[in-house]
Each structure stands twice: as C-alpha cells, then as structure tokens.
Amino acid sequence: SGYYRFDKKQVISASLMYSSYGKIDFTDNDGVTQLIVNPNEWAVDLGYSRLFSKSFSGGIAFRFIYSNLTHGYPTTDVDTKPGLSVAADISGYYRKDLRLRNKNGVFALGINFSNIGSKMSYTDSPSNSEFIPMNLRLGTSFTYDFDNFNSLALCIDLNKLLVPSDTATGEKNNISVPEAIFKSFYDAPGGFREEMREITYSYGLEYWYNNLFALRAGYFHENTYKGNRKYFTAGAGFRLSGFTLDFSYLMPVVQNQPLARTLRFSLSFDISSFRSIANKPRT
C-alpha cells in the first residue's frame, strides 16, 4: 500500500492484497487426484480522502476483486470460473481534542461502509451468485494523556454484515444489492432480538509510554448462534527512529478460531524519516 498527499487536506492511496491457499488436490468421488491447483485471490484498491474541517474527514475507495478458487475445475458437472466483483468503501472520521482535569485527551468517532459491491459467482449460472461481505462498522475511542510520557486509549467497535439473513436460495438471488443492505436490518426470522445478535463487538485498550513502547489488550465477541467466535488478544509495539515493530497473540474462548494461539508480527518502515536522517547536517 502507499499514498500521496496533494496538500494538507487531500490524499490519494492505492493498495494490493494477495492471498494464496497453497497447493490443494482436487479429487473425484473415489478420491483419485484429478488436478492439483493453487487457489488464490487478490484485490486492488484506489482511494481518496479529504479533510473537510479541523475535526471531520472522509474517504472513499474503489476495489476490484478477483477470486480464483477452482482454476476452472468442474463441480457436479458444472464448469467453474474465477469470481469477479467491484466494490467501494465509504468512511467518515471525527476527532476532537479535549481538556480534562488539566490533562489532554482525544475523542474520536468513525463509521465505515465496506465492500459495497456486486455479487460474485464462480459459474455462469446467476442462481449461484453470492453477496460479498458488505459490512457496516462503527467505532469510537478515547485517549487520555496522564502526563508527557504515559497515555491510555479505550476503543469500542461494532460490526454488522449488510447481507440478507439465511433465507430460501431463490429469494436471496432475486434481491438486489441496495435492497439487501436495507433488508439486512430487519429480515432476521427472530425479529429485532435476532438482529442484535448479528452485531459483533470488539473492545480494546492501548497503553503508550513516551510514544516509544505500547501494550495492548482486546476482546472480540460474536453471538453463540451467529458464529460463536469469542477470543482475547494481547500485543505490544516498539517504535524507533524509522521503523515500528508490532506483535499480537490470540487466545480463544471457544475452539472455533483458525488463528487460535498464533503469534503475528508486523514491521513498518517510515521512508521519510530515513531521508530526514540522511539529510541531517553532520557536526
């Protein structure tokens, strides 16, 4: 990913995401290998964001999605093909500096509509089209500076899939994307109570010392009848001149999380800081 800043208010960005699932054997009904494929998916994004005022900003991103899971291998005598889709993200972000008990604080609120786009099909039959994971996310955070060296941030995220609830296949295939988004708020068979079950909740804490070292903890909750993903996360971060190192660890409450007990690392480089160091006058 990368971005280019036109001025103090406008930025364009672009990114490429690629996923490979390794080699997979495709077999017939007798278990005899017919084909060995390497399923893969990728998406290309182009985005634009703008600062509308001192406190409010917004952005939009367009996405092309390519999903090649079968490499044309037929299933149940039906020829397959790569799935294609185009989608867009729309987001808004509000940030307000605060002063509490003679200490600095920041309140932030964000909203993001993601993957709003066309259905995807792996065959030529329109009856096999499926919605991509259109999603609405609401998030808020509050950061409080205890002093010049210590700060703590509290974060809450709410997520809701904007796709129809499980219904008869034919009914779902006859629903357009705009209609599906609106119906996703009221079509659950169990009514409002079930609609609330479809919301996932994420809570997080982040502590920074001197803007150099961070400790993080979080919890993710999904209703038992809507996937039952529940897990804690813990992590830390180190920020030095020119790069940042972060790692996280996932601890499941129930054993249905593919990333259970995995340790993940990310390493980021700030190229502009290296340029500043190189151009710094020597004494």
Side-chain angles (χ1 to χ4, degrees):
S1 63
Y3 71 89
Y4 176 79
R5 184 182 299 276
F6 286 109
D7 49 40
K8 293 182 179 180
K9 294 185 176 182
Q10 300 181 92
V11 171
I12 61 170
S13 61
S15 66
L16 170 66
M17 180 181 293
Y18 175 80
S19 297
S20 174
Y21 300 101
K23 293 182 179 180
I24 295 179
D25 294 347
F26 281 25
T27 65
D28 59 17
N29 293 334
D30 297 322
V32 178
T33 298
Q34 303 294 310
L35 185 67
I36 299 177
V37 302
N38 183 14
N40 60 84
E41 300 177 295
W42 53 267
V44 177
D45 287 16
L46 181 64
Y48 171 79
S49 58
R50 181 180 178 87
L51 184 66
F52 296 103
S53 68
K54 184 178 179 180
S55 300
F56 181 73
S57 59
I60 185 170
F62 298 97
R63 178 173 303 112
F64 175 76
I65 305 169
Y66 176 89
S67 176
N68 189 2
L69 301 182
T70 63
H71 285 256
Y73 187 75
T75 60
T76 61
D77 298 326
V78 177
D79 290 335
T80 63
K81 65 177 184 178
L84 304 175
S85 180
V86 290
D89 297 352
I90 302 175
S91 60
Y93 180 70
Y94 175 81
R95 183 184 187 277
K96 182 68 174 179
D97 294 327
L98 304 175
R99 188 74 177 171
L100 300 174
R101 302 177 64 88
N102 295 322
K103 304 291 184 179
N104 293 325
V106 177
F107 171 76
L109 180 66
I111 183 171
N112 180 27
F113 294 88
S114 61
N115 286 324
I116 307 301
S118 60
K119 299 178 184 179
M120 180 176 288
S121 176
Y122 294 95
T123 71
D124 290 325
S125 174
S127 62
N128 293 325
S129 297
E130 295 289 341
F131 292 99
I132 61 177
M134 301 181 292
N135 188 77
L136 168 62
R137 170 178 290 182
L138 292 171
T140 184
S141 68
F142 175 71
T143 304
Y144 185 75
D145 295 334
F146 294 98
D147 50 40
N148 292 333
F149 297 95
N150 300 277
S151 66
L152 183 68
L154 311 176
C155 310
I156 301 175
D157 268 8
L158 308 178
N159 279 269
K160 172 76 166 66
L161 279 176
L162 303 180
V163 297
S165 298
D166 290 335
T167 55
T169 303
E171 180 182 346
K172 181 183 288 189
N173 289 329
N174 292 329
I175 298 177
S176 65
V177 171
E179 184 181 0
I181 294 174
F182 286 104
K183 288 195 69 174
S184 67
F185 290 98
Y186 64 84
D187 68 342
F192 178 77
R193 184 177 181 181
E194 186 173 350
E195 289 290 350
M196 297 303 294
R197 290 176 177 175
E198 294 181 353
I199 300 175
T200 61
Y201 304 86
S202 303
Y203 311 93
L205 287 172
E206 182 181 57
Y207 165 78
W208 275 99
Y209 174 74
N210 200 24
N211 210 28
L212 296 175
F213 172 71
L215 291 174
R216 305 181 181 100
Y219 175 70
F220 178 89
H221 177 86
E222 184 177 56
N223 187 272
T224 303
Y225 301 102
K226 297 295 180 178
N228 199 31
R229 291 177 297 166
K230 301 180 179 70
Y231 54 84
F232 290 95
T233 58
F238 305 91
R239 180 181 295 165
L240 298 175
S241 179
F243 74 92
T244 302
L245 176 65
D246 295 288
F247 69 90
S248 66
Y249 184 72
L250 193 148
M251 298 164 285
V253 177
V254 291
Q255 300 297 324
N256 64 345
Q257 170 53 246
L259 295 178
R261 297 182 178 85
T262 57
L263 187 63
R264 289 176 287 173
F265 294 87
S266 66
L267 181 63
S268 304
F269 292 94
D270 185 355
I271 299 176
S272 62
S273 67
F274 290 122
R275 185 183 300 113
S276 300
I277 295 174
N279 294 334
K280 184 177 180 180
R282 297 182 178 181
T283 57

